[in-house]
Amino acid sequence: MALKMVKGSIDRMFDKNLQDLVRGIRNHKEDEVSDRRIKQELKQDNIAVKANAVCKLTYLQMLGYDISWAAFNIIEVMSASKFTFKRIGYLAASQCFHEGTDVIMLTTNQIRKDLSSPNQYDTGVALTGLSCFVTPDLARDLANDIMTLMSHTKPYIRKKAVLIMYKVFLKYPESLRPAFPRLKEKLEDPDPGVQSAAVNVICELARRNPKNYLSLAPLFFKLMTSSTNNWVLIKIIKLFGALTPLEPRLGKKLIEPLTNLIHRYGGRCCFFHSRLVKCLLGGSLSLFPDARCLCVQKLRILIEDSDQNLKYLGLLAMSKILKTHPKSVQSHKDLILQCLDDKDESIRLRALDLLYGMVSKKNLMEIVKKLMIHVDKAEGTTYRDELLTKIIDICSQSNYQYITNFEWYISILVELTRLEGTRHGHLIAAQMLDVAIRVKAIRKFAVSQMAMLLDNAHLIASNTQRNGICEVLYAAAWICGEFSEHLEEANQTLEAMLRPKVTTLPGHIQAVYVQNMVKLYASILQQKEQAGEKEAAQEITQLMIERLPQFVQSADLEVQERASCILQLIKYIQKLQVKEVPVAEEVIALFAGELNPVAPKAQKKVPVPEGLDLDAWINEPPSDSESEDEKPKTIFHDEEQRHSKPRHPEMDEEELARRREARKQEQANNPFYIKSSPSPQKRYQDTPGVEHIPVVQIDLSVPLKVPGMPMSDQYVKLEEERRHKQKLEKDKKKKKQKKEKRGKHHRHNSLHTESEEDIAPAHHVDIITEEMPENALPSDEDDKDPNDPYKALDIDLDKPLADSEKLPVQRHRNAEALKTPDSEAPPVEKKTLMVHIFCCVLCLLVRSQSYNGDFCLLSEFRRKTWISGNLQNDSQVTVSVIFENKSTSFLKSMELNVLDSLNTKMLRPEGSSVHDGIPVPFQLPPGISNEAQFVFTLQSIVMAQKLKGTLSFIVKNDEGSTHEKLDFKLHFSCASYLITTPCYSDAFAKLLESGDLHMSSIKVDGISISFQHLLAKICFHHHFSVVERVDSCASMYSRSIQGHHVCLLVKKGENSVSIDGKCSDPTLLSNLLDEMKETLSKC
Amino acid sequence: MRFVLLFSRQGKLRLQQWYRAGAERDKRKAARELMQAVLARKPKMCSFLEWGELKVVYKRYASLYFCCAIEGADNELLTLELIHRYVELLDKYFGSVCELDIIFNFEKAYFILDEFVMGGEIQDTSKKSVLKAIEQADLLQEEDESPRSVLEEMGLA
């Protein structure tokens, strides 16, 4: 036996430690072996071995092993009493715990225990760990404990507690208001570390929601002028950067201290300098134009610097200025274009960002041309994609404001389709659609280009990945179909769309193909019929019937459905054609009317008409009493019948017109229908005002059919020529209109430079704005991201705290239910109450007794209470006892027996007498510990209870086995029957006023610890919670498992403490106070 | 700051601390992508890298890359300074630190980082107080360990 044990220990000694593991891995030894070994080590009960194993796991995790399976072991190591192991446990937890870790809720009590540990490093390590894996639940449960730590005596703890509060706020925003006053106090903490931590937290908070922190400005102003810590200064300046836009007066105040700072640190501290510049730009810049010029000049120096970091930061800062003062940056265009050639991608991306704000009508083409060159040169798809999106961004910004020639833009888009491997196909497609729909004048040109794309689809379609370039075919097909009247070689395009290769495209694109080939077909049909070419018309029908089946067979449901529908339609048309009936008019009527661009937010902005209550019932909800078998009224009966009839496509013109009229009527009366604006294509639209929309025919100076792919350069040249011509004309006129010109110039110089103003768009282009519903509500809420985690922290901090805004104090799941003990809960609630209370497991006290040093009985009392029905005066308590065998012998057949008292009885299995012990369900090898639970029933809880008990067991060793006995006492203190229950001050006051409570008081002298500590002690040892604290006076509350209310008023004098108690039971109160006295006298 | 990574030139992760807990898979993917991106950069390039909505500030010391991911509004140079400060701390603690120190005592490297940065914010700007805290914690650890003689360890005492 002993030999075995020694062998085990030696094994352990020679266990691979971490160093060996690392060495092994570095020497490429079999990883699997160590993995299995660690699992074995984790199973052992020696905490040192376990900690070692967890440490190894942490290392392995870094190498990419998933160690989430060991989460429970990590918690075990976290709860080790020795700092060495605790440290490792928390490190591992910080590495691998996250919100999805299911055992994380088990840590709450352990963390709380560590937070109140007398050893500051225990607390520290717990705080650090928690900062990495805090979840909303943990934040809620521990907020109060952490808040208490913010006033800890040791700055080391205060500092950490302040920092972790930020994480707590993020996870549990309700804690911000109650905790904020204390956080504010910490700004003036004597310890610089704590102070800087508080500045850090408040700056982070204020950066997201600056307006709530304006009232702190004077305090920060003071800090800024007094602090010598650079790190803190930078944070404060950053904070002011966020505050100044909200309070312009701040800017003026800041000038002086900032200049001082610049002088103090000026050249020495470069990063400080750049930060400063950035902050200035952030807000107060508009106040001093001199500073702005200076800044931009300085930035230019930074950008020209050979140090890449400075160059980057210079560009970054410049982009900040650009937002507010685009003009002062525009003069540095040369420099920024130069940066585009930089080897460093970060710098190029920054420069690109700047370009966005620098374009004007004049230089757009030039800039985009440069970018196109870069696109061709760029290696790496990320950068190329970035360039692509930038080009599109630049061109489309503020409703295509800077584009003077849309033909050029379309050809740029078409050129971009040649990019290989881009993931922004949908972006290009969206632009094509947008331009074609909104710029009417360009449609003819756009259609010709799109037809060409369709013709060359094989070049594009090879890349069928998601969002790949093939997306442009979607746009191309739609444009060609929708605006088919502009198509010159419609036949050819239709052929291209019917190629078998099309079936390899993604489903949604094929669907658009199918739909739009019918549009094309319709317009060809009309064309042929008008020209009297019946043969040709029939030929085209035949072509459709031949080719469509390939789509009918498609695996994509949408494609299949559309194709089979259309195939039937065309077969029918063919029948009519054979009978020589003219069909074109009817077919084209399928697609009559024009689609208008609708703004993306239009639907949201439809105002609710007056008198409409969206929450009101339209029909009264059916009452439950209504019998189910009642026949439903057949309102829809007739209609249903009509729907079930097979639909025939032979709706004649008249029928169609009638229906359309009816629908229009319906729409006119329907408040939700977004009415379309009148457009010339509408055949049934007879409202005036259509003609005044100027649609100017494009005078195309380039042949429409450019062989191969189009070249945007041609347009650049043409545009230049055009501008030159225009300028010459203008010059002539200028002489005549000199005076007028000057006046005009004065009026406009704030917006455009003179030369820019002169450039007129190539064609008078009418950009249709996206439609919004009538009386759309203006709202700025659209821009806010609902998922922004910081939005929840947008809380007014100046409002006084309400009573209800308390942090939950050592909450149990049943806190809610216990708050209103007297109210009659409805039956449904009772059920949930039961469930809640079952979850409530609470550590009571730890008591140990040793016997001859041979083994030790550690009993940890855990109490579980449940209240069901009227079990108010009977409670059950679960005591868990940890047995640890410290001897070298093997222990078995353990039995635990307790001498029952009248009041407290051990719960034994049915049929056994009071003298029978309860067998412990396990055996104990040497050095092993295990836990068993025993249930006791209690009658009264007003007095402390001591129960005598015996543990009998058989000791087995080499010499044989002996029967042994161990006596022990179980001590149930009165405090152990209390459950920490939060109480609100109004409820507390009501309770005191009620007059049902008995009173008693004690006084303890010679107390030296701080009041804060004292309260913490009472809370911890006696399960009270603080209701209210004023200076050195506090009211506290707790509640017993049988529903006694206990209220305390604790007052601290010079060296003494007096406690006045009120309780519904006088005996309980006096016993409690006695226990409290004992605790306090130890202080 | 969102996270700190330390990795070698060969792309081996040496230390990782995430200040926003997330699923293991996401972290690993992010670390891998980031390492690739940083290692692909040439020595003379700037220390900043835009990476999704985050910004990565990195610096190479000998064969190790120190890498911090910050949010857009954070100060880049301050982060560089922070990295440098951390390296100085390691250097002081280990006495001229090398990659092997960090490999074999990775938990110490973590502890130092935790004393210096907590939850993504700088905890203490003074080198002295960070080192003091670490030393005292180590002392506590030694106290824990010292009374355990070999015999005790074997359960014979």
Side-chain angles (χ1 to χ4, degrees):
Chain A
M1 202 71 233
L3 190 72
K4 192 179 162 196
M5 215 218 82
V6 171
K7 198 170 158 266
S9 299
I10 290 176
D11 251 4
R12 219 162 59 216
M13 248 177 69
F14 292 108
D15 255 346
K16 282 181 152 190
N17 63 7
L18 177 71
Q19 254 81 7
D20 294 329
L21 177 89
V22 174
R23 224 164 270 145
I25 290 172
R26 284 171 66 79
N27 295 335
H28 306 286
K29 276 189 190 152
E30 191 62 11
D31 288 346
E32 170 64 20
V33 176
S34 57
D35 196 31
R36 210 181 300 143
R37 210 188 166 92
I38 289 170
K39 273 188 186 156
Q40 215 171 35
E41 284 172 26
L42 283 175
K43 278 189 201 127
Q44 296 205 27
D45 282 288
N46 187 311
I47 194 72
V49 179
K50 242 182 220 176
N52 193 19
V54 166
C55 195
K56 289 184 207 170
L57 280 179
T58 318
Y59 186 83
L60 289 177
Q61 195 233 14
M62 205 154 57
L63 299 180
Y65 271 94
D66 183 16
I67 64 161
S68 50
W69 54 270
F72 192 75
N73 302 97
I74 292 171
I75 294 182
E76 282 180 307
V77 176
M78 273 161 77
S79 56
S81 55
K82 285 187 178 163
F83 177 69
T84 320
F85 308 137
K86 197 182 279 299
R87 210 181 186 187
I88 288 170
Y90 273 104
L91 171 64
S94 73
Q95 289 293 303
C96 79
F97 282 10
H98 56 90
E99 271 174 47
T101 310
D102 42 5
V103 292
I104 205 161
M105 55 180 286
L106 295 180
T107 59
T108 319
N109 272 323
Q110 181 54 42
I111 293 173
R112 178 174 295 132
K113 211 171 111 195
D114 287 333
L115 290 185
S116 54
S117 157
N119 180 351
Q120 61 167 333
Y121 292 103
D122 279 354
T123 316
V125 93
L127 283 174
T128 311
L130 184 63
S131 75
C132 290
F133 59 79
V134 59
T135 63
D137 280 338
L138 282 176
R140 190 193 59 228
D141 294 352
L142 296 169
N144 195 48
D145 303 68
I146 297 170
M147 203 165 110
T148 323
L149 289 179
M150 276 164 72
S151 340
H152 198 271
T153 45
K154 299 234 170 62
Y156 178 78
I157 302 294
R158 284 209 301 275
K159 175 177 79 184
K160 284 185 185 259
V162 167
L163 274 183
I164 202 177
M165 270 328 259
Y166 179 59
K167 292 267 156 181
V168 173
F169 294 152
L170 281 180
K171 297 284 176 188
Y172 179 55
E174 288 88 336
S175 62
L176 177 58
R177 273 172 54 74
F180 193 70
R182 196 169 290 183
L183 189 62
K184 212 164 106 182
E185 273 170 37
K186 297 295 140 204
L187 281 178
E188 292 170 300
D189 196 277
D191 184 85
V194 183
Q195 200 184 32
S196 84
V199 170
N200 260 341
V201 171
I202 294 190
C203 287
E204 283 304 309
L205 288 170
R207 204 171 75 194
R208 317 286 180 186
N209 304 296
K211 65 174 189 305
N212 298 329
Y213 299 85
L214 265 179
S215 59
L216 289 179
L219 193 59
F220 277 108
F221 196 78
K222 205 174 93 193
L223 276 178
M224 186 168 84
T225 43
S226 61
S227 177
T228 50
N229 185 335
N230 278 355
W231 304 69
V232 172
L233 273 177
I234 288 168
K235 281 270 173 186
I236 297 179
I237 294 175
K238 193 154 101 185
L239 173 73
F240 277 124
L243 289 182
T244 33
L246 297 168
E247 179 54 271
R249 280 174 300 170
L250 256 179
K252 278 182 199 147
K253 276 205 151 191
L254 283 173
I255 298 177
E256 199 203 324
L258 283 183
T259 1
N260 284 346
L261 284 174
I262 294 181
H263 283 305
R264 188 141 45 110
Y265 296 101
R268 197 154 49 97
C269 199
C270 198
F271 77 91
F272 184 77
H273 197 72
S274 139
R275 173 84 256 162
L276 199 64
V277 170
K278 244 161 100 184
C279 288
L280 274 175
L281 311 171
S284 52
L285 206 64
S286 50
L287 288 168
F288 11 89
D290 297 348
R292 189 172 72 223
C293 285
L294 196 79
C295 281
V296 179
Q297 285 307 321
K298 278 237 160 99
L299 287 180
R300 194 181 166 100
I301 298 168
L302 281 185
I303 295 171
E304 280 168 340
D305 200 290
S306 61
D307 184 349
Q308 295 279 29
N309 285 348
L310 290 184
K311 191 179 254 185
Y312 175 86
L313 290 170
L315 288 169
L316 193 69
M318 217 173 231
S319 65
K320 294 238 164 110
I321 307 189
L322 187 71
K323 275 182 205 135
T324 45
H325 306 87
K327 274 189 75 187
S328 43
V329 183
Q330 267 165 11
S331 53
H332 301 286
K333 199 184 82 193
D334 55 320
L335 190 67
I336 288 156
L337 282 175
Q338 205 181 307
C339 285
L340 273 185
D341 295 320
D342 201 285
K343 271 194 211 113
D344 193 338
E345 195 176 303
S346 300
I347 289 178
R348 286 196 307 246
L349 286 176
R350 280 281 120 232
L352 263 182
D353 247 11
L354 273 172
L355 274 184
Y356 177 78
M358 293 177 60
V359 287
S360 61
K361 279 187 183 166
K362 199 174 147 200
N363 62 16
L364 175 74
M365 283 185 167
E366 182 197 343
I367 287 180
V368 172
K369 190 178 160 192
K370 283 230 163 119
L371 291 179
M372 290 300 280
I373 295 170
H374 280 288
V375 171
D376 286 338
K377 281 198 299 189
E379 73 269 354
T381 46
T382 354
Y383 180 58
R384 204 176 330 161
D385 278 359
E386 186 65 30
L387 274 170
L388 190 152
T389 44
K390 262 291 141 12
I391 290 175
I392 290 180
D393 273 358
I394 287 175
C395 293
S396 63
Q397 66 174 313
S398 32
N399 217 4
Y400 307 104
Q401 188 192 344
Y402 300 118
I403 296 186
T404 50
N405 186 335
F406 276 93
E407 287 168 27
W408 164 81
Y409 185 47
I410 293 274
S411 49
I412 286 282
L413 287 175
V414 173
E415 266 181 57
L416 285 175
T417 62
R418 278 184 294 174
L419 279 188
E420 272 168 39
T422 179
R423 276 183 299 142
H424 289 297
H426 64 286
L427 201 65
I428 304 177
Q431 280 293 302
M432 286 173 171
L433 285 172
D434 200 42
V435 172
I437 294 170
R438 291 175 56 191
V439 187
K440 283 189 183 163
I442 201 68
R443 280 181 195 164
K444 196 173 165 113
F445 178 73
V447 167
S448 71
Q449 294 293 318
M450 293 304 121
M452 209 163 54
L453 270 184
L454 287 179
D455 218 22
N456 293 314
H458 55 279
L459 295 175
I460 295 164
S462 54
N463 174 5
T464 50
Q465 83 193 71
R466 212 180 136 67
N467 275 338
I469 201 66
C470 63
E471 292 285 327
V472 298
L473 292 177
Y474 176 102
W478 192 87
I479 293 172
C480 285
E482 187 63 24
F483 307 119
S484 49
E485 70 267 21
H486 298 297
L487 210 55
E488 296 211 328
E489 300 272 354
N491 267 336
Q492 199 186 336
T493 310
L494 187 63
E495 285 264 9
M497 287 171 82
L498 284 166
R499 277 181 207 144
K501 183 92 175 139
V502 171
T503 50
T504 59
L505 288 172
H508 66 285
I509 299 178
Q510 283 186 56
V512 167
Y513 262 69
V514 173
Q515 194 74 9
N516 283 288
M517 61 181 70
V518 194
K519 292 184 195 166
L520 260 181
Y521 165 75
S523 79
I524 294 172
L525 207 60
Q526 192 188 30
Q527 217 180 326
K528 300 288 180 201
E529 265 188 21
Q530 275 169 358
E533 300 169 31
K534 282 182 188 155
E535 289 295 310
Q538 282 182 11
E539 256 171 47
I540 205 86
T541 313
Q542 189 55 39
L543 179 78
M544 289 288 276
I545 288 172
E546 273 168 20
R547 298 282 183 83
L548 268 174
Q550 62 185 344
F551 294 106
V552 177
Q553 291 156 6
S554 170
D556 191 279
L557 203 63
E558 182 76 23
V559 180
Q560 201 188 55
E561 196 183 2
R562 289 188 190 192
S564 50
C565 208
I566 284 160
L567 188 61
Q568 288 311 311
L569 177 73
I570 290 177
K571 279 185 181 160
Y572 186 78
I573 294 170
Q574 196 180 30
K575 252 189 242 167
L576 288 179
Q577 275 183 331
V578 174
K579 288 184 201 157
E580 305 218 330
V581 182
V583 284
E585 281 297 311
E586 282 168 50
V587 177
I588 207 114
L590 284 173
F591 306 105
E594 193 179 347
L595 297 169
N596 290 309
V598 177
K601 291 171 192 161
Q603 182 63 50
K604 252 202 290 180
K605 296 212 169 179
V606 178
V608 179
E610 251 178 80
L612 177 69
D613 180 7
L614 288 175
D615 295 326
W617 288 99
I618 296 172
N619 297 311
E620 279 306 308
S623 63
D624 295 337
S625 58
E626 211 171 337
S627 73
E628 296 283 320
D629 352 285
E630 208 175 302
K631 242 188 180 175
K633 286 169 196 158
T634 52
I635 313 168
F636 302 111
H637 197 65
D638 291 351
E639 267 170 332
E640 269 167 7
Q641 272 189 342
R642 211 192 309 149
H643 279 303
S644 57
K645 273 189 225 160
R647 279 205 172 178
H648 301 295
E650 62 197 301
M651 281 186 264
D652 58 345
E653 186 68 68
E654 226 179 280
E655 165 77 3
L656 274 173
R658 196 183 56 75
R659 286 197 186 174
R660 213 169 272 124
E661 238 3 279
R663 204 180 314 134
K664 256 180 68 187
Q665 277 298 317
E666 204 177 290
Q667 285 164 4
N669 296 331
N670 185 349
F672 298 113
Y673 188 76
I674 303 168
K675 293 189 191 78
S676 56
S677 69
S679 69
Q681 265 85 350
K682 283 246 163 95
R683 299 162 79 194
Y684 303 96
Q685 195 61 268
D686 46 11
T687 359
V690 177
E691 274 71 33
H692 78 266
I693 301 175
V695 182
V696 176
Q697 277 301 311
I698 307 172
D699 178 23
L700 283 167
S701 33
V702 219
L704 261 184
K705 281 202 67 186
V706 185
M709 291 293 192
M711 292 299 293
S712 58
D713 288 355
Q714 290 171 314
Y715 296 99
V716 178
K717 252 182 230 158
L718 280 169
E719 177 74 12
E720 273 164 10
E721 280 168 24
R722 190 182 64 81
R723 283 184 192 178
H724 186 66
K725 238 189 269 170
Q726 227 173 23
K727 213 182 160 196
L728 287 179
E729 277 172 34
K730 271 252 161 83
D731 283 345
K732 276 184 212 163
K733 283 184 191 169
K734 230 181 192 173
K735 286 170 190 167
K736 292 175 193 167
Q737 305 175 329
K738 233 177 189 175
K739 281 176 194 171
E740 287 168 51
K741 185 75 201 167
R742 214 169 268 161
K744 207 175 170 188
H745 170 66
H746 275 296
R747 253 182 288 131
H748 288 266
N749 61 354
S750 58
L751 283 171
H752 299 285
T753 58
E754 192 184 347
S755 55
E756 203 174 303
E757 196 193 349
D758 286 347
I759 303 169
H763 345 281
H764 189 74
V765 180
D766 171 47
I767 302 173
I768 308 168
T769 46
E770 292 169 325
E771 286 194 358
M772 282 296 221
E774 292 164 45
N775 352 308
L777 302 165
S779 67
D780 44 5
E781 279 166 32
D782 310 327
D783 310 325
K784 285 195 181 166
D785 178 8
N787 297 325
D788 184 7
Y790 305 105
K791 208 179 145 195
L793 287 179
D794 190 358
I795 298 168
D796 184 5
L797 294 163
D798 298 329
K799 233 171 38 188
L801 276 176
D803 282 341
S804 55
E805 286 181 289
K806 282 268 156 64
L807 291 179
V809 183
Q810 199 171 27
R811 69 294 74 60
H812 316 279
R813 310 270 159 201
N814 58 348
E816 202 79 6
L818 289 171
K819 207 164 61 185
T820 52
D822 305 323
S823 67
E824 281 276 19
V828 189
E829 266 179 45
K830 221 166 213 165
K831 229 185 217 166
T832 50
L833 185 136
M834 291 266 288
V835 177
H836 280 160
I837 294 173
F838 273 114
C839 306
C840 153
V841 179
L842 179 65
C843 290
L844 277 193
L845 79 151
V846 180
R847 187 148 276 254
S848 74
Q849 279 191 355
S850 63
Y851 171 68
N852 288 348
D854 230 8
F855 61 91
C856 170
L857 175 78
L858 268 166
S859 60
E860 187 181 356
F861 287 50
R862 288 204 183 150
R863 183 181 54 189
K864 194 195 261 169
T865 64
W866 55 74
I867 308 163
S868 61
N870 57 354
L871 265 180
Q872 284 285 316
N873 41 14
D874 190 17
S875 306
Q876 287 188 336
V877 168
T878 305
V879 177
S880 38
V881 183
I882 295 171
F883 299 91
E884 186 178 1
N885 185 357
K886 292 199 159 180
S887 70
T888 53
S889 317
F890 191 86
L891 304 184
K892 60 180 211 177
S893 313
M894 289 187 282
E895 263 191 18
L896 185 124
N897 197 9
V898 174
L899 209 58
D900 289 352
S901 70
L902 275 179
N903 190 25
T904 313
K905 292 186 170 66
M906 185 152 81
L907 203 69
R908 295 179 169 84
E910 296 246 349
S912 51
S913 82
V914 284
H915 305 293
D916 295 340
I918 293 188
V920 179
F922 47 79
Q923 304 183 334
L924 279 182
I928 298 296
S929 66
N930 207 339
E931 183 182 314
Q933 294 192 332
F934 305 93
V935 181
F936 292 83
T937 55
L938 297 163
Q939 288 299 319
S940 153
I941 56 156
V942 296
M943 301 230 280
Q945 305 280 333
K946 271 187 188 157
L947 292 185
K948 277 189 185 168
T950 327
L951 180 74
S952 59
F953 50 90
I954 293 170
V955 182
K956 204 176 151 192
N957 52 24
D958 297 342
E959 293 130 35
S961 40
T962 46
H963 204 270
E964 297 256 11
K965 238 171 56 173
L966 177 73
D967 291 328
F968 62 90
K969 266 184 203 161
L970 276 176
H971 182 81
F972 297 87
S973 69
C974 278
S976 56
Y977 301 127
L978 296 184
I979 304 170
T980 317
T981 315
C983 183
Y984 300 95
S985 51
D986 41 351
F988 188 78
K990 250 183 221 161
L991 204 59
L992 290 179
E993 280 165 17
S994 65
D996 315 331
L997 305 181
H998 303 270
M999 199 183 142
S1000 178
S1001 51
I1002 52 159
K1003 194 171 179 188
V1004 186
D1005 291 321
I1007 302 280
S1008 51
I1009 57 166
S1010 72
F1011 190 53
Q1012 186 64 40
H1013 250 94
L1014 189 95
L1015 291 183
K1017 262 200 161 61
I1018 296 178
C1019 287
F1020 182 74
H1021 292 293
H1022 301 278
H1023 311 127
F1024 276 87
S1025 63
V1026 179
V1027 178
E1028 210 165 16
R1029 186 189 154 183
V1030 184
D1031 298 329
S1032 59
C1033 194
S1035 47
M1036 305 180 93
Y1037 175 80
S1038 186
R1039 195 171 166 280
S1040 79
I1041 52 172
Q1042 291 181 352
H1044 302 102
H1045 302 284
V1046 189
C1047 309
L1048 295 183
L1049 181 67
V1050 186
K1051 285 185 210 154
K1052 173 131 165 65
E1054 278 283 299
N1055 264 324
S1056 65
V1057 176
S1058 68
I1059 301 177
D1060 298 317
K1062 278 192 171 186
C1063 174
S1064 31
D1065 189 294
T1067 334
L1068 177 64
L1069 180 61
S1070 67
N1071 284 325
L1072 274 174
L1073 289 179
D1074 286 345
E1075 282 172 20
M1076 231 171 267
K1077 200 167 182 175
E1078 200 183 330
T1079 325
L1080 293 180
S1081 56
K1082 282 182 206 152
C1083 300
Chain B
M1 198 160 46
R2 293 287 183 84
F3 57 84
V4 178
L5 293 182
L6 240 80
F7 51 87
S8 68
R9 216 167 29 165
Q10 290 79 32
K12 287 251 163 55
L13 203 58
R14 294 297 177 218
L15 182 143
Q16 53 169 353
Q17 188 66 288
W18 301 75
Y19 296 113
R20 266 201 201 170
E24 198 55 40
R25 202 148 35 101
D26 304 339
K27 289 198 225 169
R28 216 168 288 152
K29 188 166 159 249
R32 208 172 39 235
E33 280 176 15
L34 189 68
M35 281 196 283
Q36 269 171 6
V38 170
L39 289 172
R41 289 173 66 82
K42 301 200 172 62
K44 277 250 174 108
M45 290 181 176
C46 73
S47 302
F48 316 114
L49 184 66
E50 270 150 65
W51 191 65
E53 52 182 35
L54 296 180
K55 223 179 271 176
V56 173
V57 179
Y58 70 93
K59 192 153 168 90
R60 192 179 143 182
Y61 287 90
S63 57
L64 270 185
Y65 284 89
F66 290 71
C67 201
C68 293
I70 55 174
E71 281 158 45
D74 287 333
N75 190 338
E76 298 81 9
L77 282 173
L78 202 65
T79 314
L80 262 188
E81 195 76 355
L82 182 143
I83 290 175
H84 188 71
R85 183 63 63 95
Y86 179 52
V87 175
E88 280 178 344
L89 283 169
L90 288 174
D91 207 47
K92 273 255 170 67
Y93 183 83
F94 289 110
S96 142
V97 66
C98 66
E99 194 182 337
L100 284 179
D101 284 327
I102 294 173
I103 296 172
F104 283 108
N105 297 298
F106 78 99
E107 80 277 18
K108 298 281 185 212
Y110 274 112
F111 295 148
I112 297 173
L113 182 66
D114 285 344
E115 280 307 322
F116 181 45
V117 178
M118 190 171 122
E121 296 291 329
I122 300 169
Q123 192 182 133
D124 210 318
T125 51
S126 125
K127 257 184 282 184
K128 226 187 272 168
S129 68
V130 173
L131 284 175
K132 208 181 104 199
I134 287 288
E135 271 163 27
Q136 282 183 351
D138 279 349
L139 215 64
L140 199 68
Q141 185 168 342
E142 277 160 30
E143 271 168 25
D144 269 359
E145 280 166 353
S146 54
R148 287 170 56 214
S149 66
V150 179
L151 284 179
E152 254 181 322
E153 169 80 9
M154 293 168 73
L156 296 174

